[in-house]
Amino acid sequence: MNVADSELVGGILAGEGYAFTSELEDADVALINTCAIRDNAEQRIHGRLGLFHAQKRRNPEMVVGILGCMAERLRERFLEKEHLVDIVVGPDEYRRLPALIDQAFSGEKGIAVRLSRVETYEDIEPLRTEGVAAWVSVMRGCDKFCTFCVVPFTRGRERSRSLGTVVEEVRTLAARGFRDVTLLGQNVNSYRDGTYDFADLVRAVAGVDRSLRIRFMTSHPQDMSDRLIDAIASTENICNYIHLPVQSGSDRILALMNRTYTVEEYLQLVGRIRSAVPGVSLTTDIISGFPGETDEDHRRTVELIEAVRYDGAFTFTYSPRERTRAWEMGDTVSGEVKSARVTEIIGLQQEISRGINQRFVGTIEQILVEGPSKKSAQEFTGRTGTNRTVVFPRAQEQPGEYIPVRIVRANSATLFGART
Ligand code: SAH
Ligand code: SF4
C-alpha cells in the first residue's frame, strides 16, 4: 500500500514539474513514506533520516519530508523538537505537498496531517515505472477497528473510488503493457462506490482486457461475499488466489481482537471458497502473542493452520500500538514466548508449503514472465495464476508474455521449471 501511495505522491509531484531520481545527491527534495503498523518501522526511519542529513549538510537547500501513517506521531519529535525535517504530511494531505515544498524552499516548515472522509485521489495518475505488475488503490481507510490495529486511526474512515475511474486507470495500464493488476485496499471487500460493490468492480476490471491478470488485497473474512466468490470462480482472468487473514485460531482471542468471526465461521468460508474455486490458493496473516494469548490459544492457531493447510502465511509478533483498544490490555506475552510461537508457526507453514509445492512437480503451469531472477541473469522468474513464483532457464521470452513451463523441482517458496 505504501508503494502505491509513493507512486501517487510521484504523480502529484510530476504534475508540478518534478521528476524522480534514485540518486540522493541529485535530489532537491527527499521524502520518506512511513508505515505505523508495527514498531520496527520507526527504527528504520531513523536510519534513513541519518542518510538524508549527511546529504543535507552538503546541500542545505534540500527539503526533507516525512509522509504517511507516522506523520502525526513523528511531527512533534522530528519537526518541532529535533528540527530534523522540513515538512510532515499525512496520508490524506498529499495534494498540499507541492505548496508545502515551495514554502520549505523559502525556509518555512510545514505540516499537514488532517484525515479526510472523502479523499480518494481518484483523479491522480500515479507515477509508475514500466513493468509487468501494477498496484491500483481502490479504497482508503478502514472502519473495522480490530483492537490491535492502528490503521483506522492513521488512515481514517473507509471510502471508495468510483468504479469508472478504476476501470479507466486499468485501461491505461493495459495499453502501457502492464499484465498483472492488484486492486488494493485495507478491506477491499467492503468497497462500495454508491452504485457498485467489489464483485462488480473486479468483474469490470477483468473485462477491460482478458490478457490482464486481476488480483486483490486484502479481504476481511467478514465481507467475503458469495457474489465475489462467484466472480472469481466464473471469470478466467481473476486469479484463483485469495489473501484471507485469520489472525488467530482461538475464538477467545478472535473476540478480543474484534475480528467479528469465529473459527467455525472462518472454516465454513474456506470450505465455500474451495468448493467454488477448485485449486484456489489461500494465504493468511497471523499475529502471535496478542495480550492474554495462552499456550492453549496458540495451540488452536497451530491446529487451524494444520486444518486449512494454507499455501502461505505471514506471521507477526504482536506489537502494541498506542490509541488502539488492545494497547489498554498491556503487552502480556514475553518477547521470548512470542518469538518461540512465531518460529513454530513459520516452521509448520514451511513444511505445509513445501508439501503443496511438491505436488506441482511434473505439471505444466501457464506463467506470466516477470523478468530476470534475483540470483542469476541466465534465469527468469514468473508467476502462476495462483501467485506461485517460478524460476526457469531464460530463452527468448520477454517480460509480460504468458508461457507454459514444466515444473521440475520445488521448495517451500519457489517452483523451478524447464521450458516445454
Ligand atoms: N486490512 C488487513 C490487514 C492490514 S495490516 C486485514 O484486516 O486483514 C497487515 C497485517 O499486519 C494484519 O493482517 C496483521 O496480521 C498485522 N498487524 C496489524 N497490526 C498489528 C500489530 N499491532 N501487531 C502485529 N501485527 C499486526
Ligand atoms: Fe486493521 Fe482490522 Fe482494518 Fe485490517 S480490517 S486494517 S487489521 S482494523
Side-chain angles (χ1 to χ4, degrees):
M1 202 148 293
N2 264 16
V3 173
D5 263 16
S6 295
E7 291 174 343
L8 190 73
V9 167
I12 291 171
L13 293 178
E16 300 290 321
Y18 289 91
F20 179 76
T21 171
S22 52
E23 303 301 323
L24 186 56
E25 292 71 39
D26 296 338
D28 299 311
V29 184
L31 304 170
I32 315 179
N33 195 358
T34 60
C35 171
I37 197 87
R38 285 173 293 273
D39 181 55
N40 54 12
E42 197 166 323
Q43 304 315 318
R44 294 202 224 153
I45 286 163
H46 287 282
R48 195 61 64 87
L49 268 181
L51 273 181
F52 286 10
H53 272 261
Q55 175 59 18
K56 205 166 159 125
R57 274 194 290 276
R58 292 189 285 271
N59 172 14
E61 300 289 296
M62 184 174 83
V63 169
V64 174
I66 290 186
L67 312 181
C69 290
M70 287 175 76
E72 167 73 37
R73 199 168 126 73
L74 296 183
R75 79 182 219 209
E76 195 186 336
R77 168 149 185 213
F78 289 145
L79 187 106
E80 288 153 14
K81 275 203 196 122
E82 297 180 15
H83 305 286
L84 286 177
V85 300
D86 305 300
I87 52 177
V88 171
V89 184
D92 284 349
E93 300 248 51
Y94 295 148
R95 285 179 203 268
R96 292 181 56 195
L97 254 176
L100 290 166
I101 292 172
D102 280 349
Q103 277 177 25
F105 278 135
S106 46
E108 195 183 326
K109 288 187 189 294
I111 179 155
V113 291
R114 270 216 302 264
L115 291 172
S116 157
R117 285 183 175 270
V118 292
E119 180 64 274
T120 62
Y121 300 109
E122 64 177 9
D123 55 319
I124 297 200
E125 189 180 343
L127 184 71
R128 297 185 174 95
T129 46
E130 299 303 321
V132 174
W135 310 103
V136 175
S137 170
V138 302
M139 47 110 51
R140 298 181 73 84
C142 183
D143 289 349
K144 285 276 184 283
F145 288 92
C146 303
T147 57
F148 52 80
C149 184
V150 80
V151 168
F153 304 97
T154 56
R155 296 183 80 86
R157 297 289 56 75
E158 214 167 84
R159 63 218 104 113
S160 302
R161 288 171 63 174
S162 67
L163 177 140
T165 64
V166 177
V167 166
E168 221 23 72
E169 185 172 340
V170 171
R171 196 165 281 140
T172 313
L173 289 171
R176 279 178 61 189
F178 286 92
R179 284 290 161 266
D180 178 332
V181 170
T182 303
L183 305 180
L184 278 185
Q186 286 302 341
N187 181 15
V188 282
N189 303 5
S190 59
Y191 172 93
R192 219 157 246 100
D193 78 346
T195 312
Y196 300 107
D197 69 3
F198 191 62
D200 297 323
L201 182 73
V202 269
R203 278 187 196 273
V205 165
V208 166
D209 181 337
R210 294 293 174 196
S211 72
L212 286 179
R213 270 185 184 168
I214 308 303
R215 296 184 280 139
F216 51 86
M217 245 184 359
T218 295
S219 303
H220 189 293
Q222 185 196 335
D223 301 320
M224 188 78 205
S225 70
D226 287 343
R227 272 168 55 74
L228 180 59
I229 298 172
D230 190 50
I232 301 166
S234 61
T235 315
E236 183 72 28
N237 62 326
I238 300 177
C239 289
N240 292 350
Y241 165 63
I242 303 175
H243 183 57
L244 197 65
V246 67
Q247 313 298 359
S248 169
S250 154
D251 282 339
R252 197 179 72 82
I253 296 293
L254 286 174
L256 287 171
M257 287 176 162
N258 188 32
R259 284 297 284 188
T260 69
Y261 50 82
T262 61
V263 170
E264 181 61 33
E265 285 161 349
Y266 183 89
L267 288 173
Q268 281 170 7
L269 174 61
V270 167
R272 283 209 303 284
I273 294 172
R274 283 189 167 151
S275 65
V277 192
V280 64
S281 171
L282 287 178
T283 56
T284 200
D285 290 344
I286 308 272
I287 296 178
S288 264
F290 185 84
E293 186 188 71
T294 62
D295 283 339
E296 173 64 20
D297 295 316
H298 168 65
R299 207 172 54 74
R300 284 176 195 231
T301 301
V302 167
E303 283 167 6
L304 176 78
I305 294 169
E306 284 167 340
V308 175
R309 289 185 62 80
Y310 289 104
D311 295 85
F314 303 88
T315 309
F316 309 102
T317 51
Y318 171 69
S319 169
R321 307 317 285 143
E322 257 177 284
R323 298 201 275 173
T324 61
R325 266 169 52 212
W327 175 263
E328 317 289 317
M329 303 176 198
D331 189 9
T332 64
V333 181
S334 72
E336 218 176 7
V337 171
K338 280 184 194 168
S339 301
R341 289 178 184 167
V342 166
T343 306
E344 183 187 347
I345 290 173
I346 291 175
L348 169 64
Q349 183 55 49
Q350 274 182 350
E351 206 181 296
I352 294 172
S353 298
R354 192 175 307 115
I356 293 175
N357 284 350
Q358 288 299 337
R359 296 212 306 262
F360 285 83
V361 174
T363 64
I364 291 179
E365 295 294 312
Q366 185 72 1
I367 69 160
L368 174 60
V369 179
E370 292 186 341
S373 86
K374 278 188 218 129
K375 290 193 185 141
S376 140
Q378 273 73 52
E379 289 182 319
F380 256 31
T381 140
R383 258 184 299 171
T384 67
T386 53
N387 207 31
R388 292 187 163 79
T389 299
V390 182
V391 173
F392 59 97
R394 180 178 188 176
Q396 300 306 315
E397 57 281 316
Q398 297 297 323
E401 277 177 37
Y402 289 95
I403 58 164
V405 167
R406 188 163 45 82
I407 306 304
V408 293
R409 194 160 64 81
N411 62 29
S412 63
T414 312
L415 305 179
F416 297 88
R419 297 302 311 275
T420 56

